[in-house]
Structures are given as C-alpha cells and as structure tokens.
C-alpha cells in the first residue's frame, strides 16, 4: 500500500503543477498595459500642455497594482519597435491600478516625456513594446476612414474589440454609461434574498460536503492502517492480548507523561538537594518587632 | 494688569472649549455608559473578557468628546488611532487573528467524525436569514451582506467583510457581532431547549477516535486547497486559518505556532478590540441603522442556532440507533469558538450529569469557522 501511495503522490503533484501553470493569471507588470483609445485627427478635441490640438494615444493599466511604463517603447512601425523610448526614473510614468495615461503623438519629443517622436498621420499601426524592445505588449492597426475628433478605441476596459466611440475620453474609462454595482444587479433579480440564500447555502454545503467525503474516506484508511493485524501465532497473540488489557490508569499515566513532555511542563531533576520553604511560621526570633531596638525612655 | 487678566480669562475660556466637557453630547454619555457596561460584563460576569475589555475601553476612548481638527479621533487622518484603525479598515487584522485561531485550534473532533462538518454548514443559515431580513428592512445589498455575516458569530470575519462591503457600518457590525458572541450563553439555550425533546437531549454520542498527526497535516493542506478553490474570495481568512493550523500540526514549527497563537494574536486582539471600540463615536454610531443592525444581529443568532439544531434532528432521522447525534451540539455550528461548544456542554449536563458534549460540539464549532469564512467569500463574490 505504501509503495502504491509513493507512486501516486508524484503523479498528483505533477497534475497539480500542470493545472497551476496552465491557468492564466493577470500579470502585475508591463504586460498588463493595453492600448485603449486613439485620436488621429484632433481639430477641436483635447489640448496638450502647450495648448495645441495633437493626435493622442491612451494606454490603460489593466492590472490591480501600479505599473511603471518607463523603459517601454511606443512605435508606429513594427519594423522599428524601439522608435520612442519612454524615459525611466520619472514618477509620472507610473500608472496606478486600473488607470490611464495619454501620450501626444505630435512629433515633438523635446516637449516632454508624453510627447512622441512620431505622429499618426502616416502610421497605420501603433504598438507598445516591453523594455527589452522585442516583446510586443499590445498593438492596434488603425483602419482607414478616421474622422476628425472621433476617437477609435475599446468600448469598455475588458473588450478586445475596437470601435469608433461616440464620446472621446482621454485619460478616463471609455465606458461612461451608468452602471449598477454587482450587489444592485444581484438584488434586482433577487429582491428578497431567497436566491442568495439558496446559492450560498448550496456552495457552503458543497464545500463542506467535499471535505466530509474526503475526511470520511481518509479516516477509514487511517483506521484500517492503525488496526494491528493479529497473526495466529501463539506468542504474538499473547502479546496483543496483554496490550489490550492495559488498564485505564496506565493509559492515563502514559498520556499525562506524554502531555507533560510535549508541553514542556515536566521539571528537570538535577540531583541537587534543596530545602524548599513551604510556609512561613511565626517565630519571635525572626520577628522584626523583637529585633528592633527599643526607643530609649528617659523617664 | 487688567489687560493681562483679560488675556488669562480669555485663554482659560478658550481652553475650556477644548475640553470634553464643552463638546459632550447626550450621545457621548450613552456610548460611555455602553462602554462601561461592556467592561462590567467582562470583569464581573466574565463574558468574553478578552474581547469586551478592549472593546469597552475602546468605546470610552472613542467617545471622549474632543474638538475636531487636532488629529485625535479614530476618523481623523494622521491621528495615532487612525493609523491603528487602518488595520481594521483594510482588513489586515482579521486574517492575522485567523492565523492565531488556526494555530490554537485542534481539528481532531472534526476529523474523527467528519459528519459534524455539515452542522457547521447548516448553522450558516443565520447569515442568510439576516441578509433577507436586512433587505426587507431597506438596507442596500452590500449593507445587507455585511449585516448578515453577524449570524456567523465570527468577529474577525464580520470585520473583514464589512470593511469590504459597508465600511460605514463596520463599527456597529463589529460591536454587534462581538456582543452577541459574548451573549451566546444567554441567546442559545432557550432556542436549543425549545427545539429538542428530553429524549433527544439525553442522546450519548460515541467518543471520538484518536487522530494521527498525518491526518491533521493532510486536513490543513487539503482543507485550504478545497475551500479556497471553491471560494477564492475567502482566501485571506481560510488561507491564514489553515496555515496557522499547519504550523501547529506539522510539529516542526512549534516556535512559529507559539508566536501565532500567543503574542501575535494577543497584540492583534488588543489593536482590533481597541480600535473597533474607538470607532463607535457617538456622532457616527448612534443612528437608527445601528439599532437595526443590533436587532438583526440578535435574529441572525437565533436563526443560526435553529439551523444547526434542526439539521442535527433531520440527520438523525437517517442514522442508526447508536450513531445518532445529540441535537444540543447543533448550536455549536456558529463559529463562536469555544463559547457555543461550551453552551452545548452546559445544557447537556443539565439533563445528564455524565453526558459530556464538549468534544463533540467542538467539531461543528470549528467547522462553523470554516463555514462562515466560506459564506463571507460568497457574499464578497456576489456583492462587492
């Protein structure tokens, strides 16, 4: 049985590893960045910090922690992935969780970090590359037919689709429609909480029922394992019989000794004789009253 | 001379404006009385002194009526109390308490008789009963979820969930949860007696078998994996609970287990108790909502006890004579460890002086801790 278990355990471990490694997780680094919205022809849309209307590119941090975009590259040419290097060491390149950053595609890189060395008039592909300049993080091919002041972007943060947006939202969520919270949506369908009670009790019971099944079977296995196999040999059977007849007091004494040992409550005898004073008995010889000098009386 | 005298009088008057006497309201007086009552119950009646003393004193601290703007109160950014309260607001303290609970809990009773786990699930009915009632009373869905968790009888879980779902109500929810946990010996026995017959109360259960170390180690690991795979949002609580238990049961991390169940949980209990108590400033705490929360909390405890006891009675219908469970352990499905298990023992002894139910009741009791953490995870998944 032990051999069989030893064979099974590596299999289970390997299976778990496969499961864990195959599950996709949200990266908490530059990989989480997404191109989110672009405006190619800016006639009367957002103005930059120089008061000019320029094309712009919005990037969204889809992760749940801050990502520093510094060191990454933006380009409008896939053959030249390192066209614009986003400077490092500047706090403004840090994008908070689920937040946005806007770059001005005005071909004026001397105007600051957020001003790119290309514009979007010729570019048909925008891409962002990781700090190694090789790993493509995200790209978008700009379709023809771009109109002035109409942005092209994802209709919502989690969408993979790109459409012409009714309203431009530089530095903000593209989905500006009023949304209900998860709780409101849930209660709309379940105003009295009956559904919640049924689902939740089912899940709680399922979770604990699975535990029940596992421990029930595990218990059976361990009980079987712990039960001594009585061999029909005369001497051994005598030994088993003696063990079975161990009195309750002996068991209790052994249990107490083990408890004291495990809890480190037992004392250590160091074979040195000591006299332990157990009580203070009154004696005039040790009384302070009698040992104090009497105050001299002049009378 | 007259000018100087005016200066002294003026500044004395100004100083008086800063004293609590000048800022005191009826609400503050009421809350100070509540705090004193908590301390009295803890010292004189020994109702959960480890919780009620810090909370009671925290209520006193939180209801000293100060002039705002001097970074004194728990709700003022930058104050010392506000920094300590951060651990409550961000849900940091509850998982640390669960780590300690895991390190001090022996799951043997549960492992030796796994069907006791299901009682821990049944008693979670209190959570969802209170959730339904709260919705009916007009609380928002997130508020109703946070209030419902009081029925789990688990202070850290209540604080954790309310910090995520309804931070504004956290003070009232935490106080209600801890108060009713302390009042378990008062609330539960009448319900238990009402739902059971004398014959049922006398049922004797088989003594639990000895559980090996391997079983306990597997329990900690498998329990964490299974429960968190089903409800990942319960990971902070369940992960820490089973981690603490593994520290205890592995036998090779005694120092870590001792720290988790000793100094660490003591420190966190002091901080959580004091700051939760201090969060009950009369100005924010004394509202109709708080009264509603207290009423719903009491109802949730009754429903939870009902769920646990009735579940045992139903299960008994399918069990053979000799394997039946005493329904008096059903109340222990709420996770007030070990108070509700102690209630089972005390009520059981009232009817049979030799029928000790404590160890049997510890099974559903610790299952209740797992169950309430799972329930919190579900509420968080649907409502957050």
């Amino acid at each position: 049985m032990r051999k069989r278990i030893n064979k099974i355990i590596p299999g289970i471990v390997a299976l778990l590893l496969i499961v864990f490694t195959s599950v996709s997780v949200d990266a908490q680094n530059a990989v989480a960045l997404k191109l989110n919205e672009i405006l190619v022809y800016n006639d009367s849309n957002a103005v930059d910090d120089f008061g000019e209307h320029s094309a712009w590119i919005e990037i969204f941090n889809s992760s749940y922690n801050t990502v520093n975009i510094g060191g990454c590259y933006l380009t409008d040419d896939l053959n030249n992935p390192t066209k614009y290097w986003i400077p490092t060491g500047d706090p403004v390149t840090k994008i908070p969780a689920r937040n946005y950053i806007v770059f001005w595609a005005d071909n004026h890189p001397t105007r600051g970090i957020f001003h790119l060395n290309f514009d979007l008039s010729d570019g048909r592909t925008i891409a962002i590359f990781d700090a190694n300049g090789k790993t493509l993080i995200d790209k978008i091919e700009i379709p023809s037919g771009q109109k002035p002041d109409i942005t092209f972007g994802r209709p919502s943060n989690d969408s993979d689709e790109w459409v012409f947006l009714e309203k431009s939202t530089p530095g903000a969520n593209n989905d500006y429609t009023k949304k209900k919270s998860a709780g409101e949506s849930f209660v709309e369908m379940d105003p009295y909480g009956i559904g919640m009670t049924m689902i939740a009790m089912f899940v709680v019971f399922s979770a604990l029922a699975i535990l029940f099944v596992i421990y029930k079977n595990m218990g059976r296995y361990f009980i079987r394992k712990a039960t001594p196999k009585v061999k029909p040999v005369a001497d051994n059977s005598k030994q088993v019989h003696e063990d079975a007849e161990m009195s309750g007091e002996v068991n209790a004494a052994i249990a107490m000794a083990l408890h004291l040992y495990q809890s480190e409550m037992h004392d250590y005898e160091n074979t040195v004789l000591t006299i332990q004073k157990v009580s203070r008995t009154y004696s005039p010889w040790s009384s302070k009253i009698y040992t104090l000098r009497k105050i001299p009386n002049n009378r | 001379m007259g000018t100087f005298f005016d200066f002294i009088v003026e500044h004395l008057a100004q100083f008086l404006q800063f004293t609590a006497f000048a800022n005191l309201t009826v609400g503050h007086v009421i809350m100070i009385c509540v705090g004193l009552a908590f301390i009295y119950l803890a010292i004189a009646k020994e109702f959960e002194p480890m919780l009620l003393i810090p909370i009671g004193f925290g209520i006193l601290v939180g209801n000293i009526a100060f002039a705002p703007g001097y970074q004194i109160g728990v709700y003022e950014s930058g104050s010392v109390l506000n920094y300590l309260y951060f651990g409550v607001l961000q849900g940091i303290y509850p998982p640390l308490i669960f780590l300690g609970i895991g390190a001090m809990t022996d799951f043997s009773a549960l492992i030796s008789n796994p069907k006791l786990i299901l009682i821990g699930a049944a008693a979670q009915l209190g959570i969802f009963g209170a959730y339904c009632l709260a919705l009916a009373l007009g609380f928002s869905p997130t508020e109703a979820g946070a209030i419902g968790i009081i029925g789990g009888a688990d202070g850290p879980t209540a604080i954790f969930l309310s910090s995520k779902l309804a931070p504004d109500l956290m003070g009232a929810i935490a106080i209600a949860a801890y108060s009713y946990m302390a009042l378990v010996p008062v609330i539960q026995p009448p319900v238990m007696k009402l739902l059971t017959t004398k014959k049922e109360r006398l049922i004797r259960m088989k003594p639990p078998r000895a559980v090996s170390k391997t079983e306990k180690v597997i329990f900690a690991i498998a329990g964490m994996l299974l429960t968190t795979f089903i409800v990942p949002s319960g990971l902070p609580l369940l992960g820490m609970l089973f981690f603490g238990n593994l520290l205890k049961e592995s036998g090779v991390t005694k120092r870590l287990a001792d720290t988790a169940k000793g100094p660490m949980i003591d420190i966190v209990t002091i901080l959580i108790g004091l700051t939760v108590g201090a969060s009950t400033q009369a100005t924010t705490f004394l509202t109709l909502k708080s009264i509603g929360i207290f009423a719903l909390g009491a109802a949730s405890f009754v429903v939870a006890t009902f769920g646990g006891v009735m579940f045992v009675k139903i299960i008994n219908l399918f069990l053979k004579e000799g394997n039946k469970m005493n329904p008096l352990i059903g109340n222990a499905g709420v996770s007030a460890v070990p108070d509700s298990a102690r209630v089972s023992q005390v009520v059981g002894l009232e009817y049979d002086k030799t029928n000790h139910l404590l160890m049997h009741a510890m099974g559903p009791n610790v299952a209740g801790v797992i169950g309430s953490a799972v329930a919190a995870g579900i509420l968080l998944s649907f409502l957050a």
Side-chain angles (χ1 to χ4, degrees), chain B residues 153-166:
Chain B
D154 196 335
T157 309
I159 290 171
F160 180 77
L161 193 69
S162 53
S163 71
K164 308 283 179 199
L165 292 181

Side-chain angles (χ1 to χ4, degrees), chain A residues 20-210:
Chain A
F20 288 135
T21 49
S22 63
V23 173
S24 65
V25 289
D26 288 333
Q28 303 292 306
N29 51 36
V31 179
L33 297 173
K34 283 179 172 182
L35 292 164
N36 200 48
E37 187 179 3
I38 56 165
L39 179 65
V40 177
Y41 303 114
N42 186 349
D43 285 357
S44 58
N45 201 269
V47 290
D48 64 13
D49 37 356
F50 287 81
E52 290 184 7
H53 294 282
S54 309
W56 49 264
I57 299 166
E58 182 191 73
I59 294 169
F60 170 54
N61 170 15
S62 66
S63 77
Y64 288 85
N65 74 341
T66 301
V67 169
N68 193 341
I69 197 173
C72 294
Y73 297 91
L74 273 168
T75 184
D76 62 347
D77 181 3
L78 289 178
N79 294 320
N80 183 11
T82 59
K83 192 165 186 177
Y84 180 75
W85 178 70
I86 303 167
T88 55
D90 202 311
V92 294
T93 56
K94 287 180 180 170
I95 314 174
R98 310 290 290 174
N99 223 309
Y100 309 84
I101 201 167
V102 173
F103 286 90
W104 300 98
D106 55 0
N107 203 8
H108 286 300
T110 53
R111 288 185 172 179
I113 287 175
F114 297 118
H115 293 263
L116 305 175
N117 56 358
F118 58 87
D119 56 36
L120 302 183
S121 54
D122 299 325
R124 283 290 162 254
T125 302
I126 308 293
I128 179 167
F129 281 84
D130 205 350
N132 60 15
K134 291 173 185 168
T135 310
L136 177 67
I137 297 172
D138 195 17
K139 67 167 184 170
I140 179 67
E141 286 181 21
I142 306 169
S144 54
Q146 296 289 323
K147 294 170 190 168
D149 299 329
I150 301 292
T151 56
F152 185 60
R154 299 173 194 271
S156 68
N157 286 337
D158 301 318
S159 173
D160 289 329
E161 187 192 8
W162 280 67
V163 295
F164 288 103
L165 302 172
E166 287 180 15
K167 189 174 173 180
S168 69
T169 54
N173 195 336
N174 295 351
D175 185 4
Y176 51 87
T177 52
K178 191 186 172 191
K179 280 199 183 66
K180 287 174 189 163
S181 69
E184 284 168 343
S185 306
F186 197 94
V187 168
E188 200 173 72
M189 295 301 293
D190 178 34
Y192 304 108
I194 309 288
M196 169 69 91
T197 306
M198 288 170 69
I199 296 170
M201 287 305 286
F202 172 74
V203 176
V204 174
F205 261 103
S206 305
L208 295 187
I210 292 170

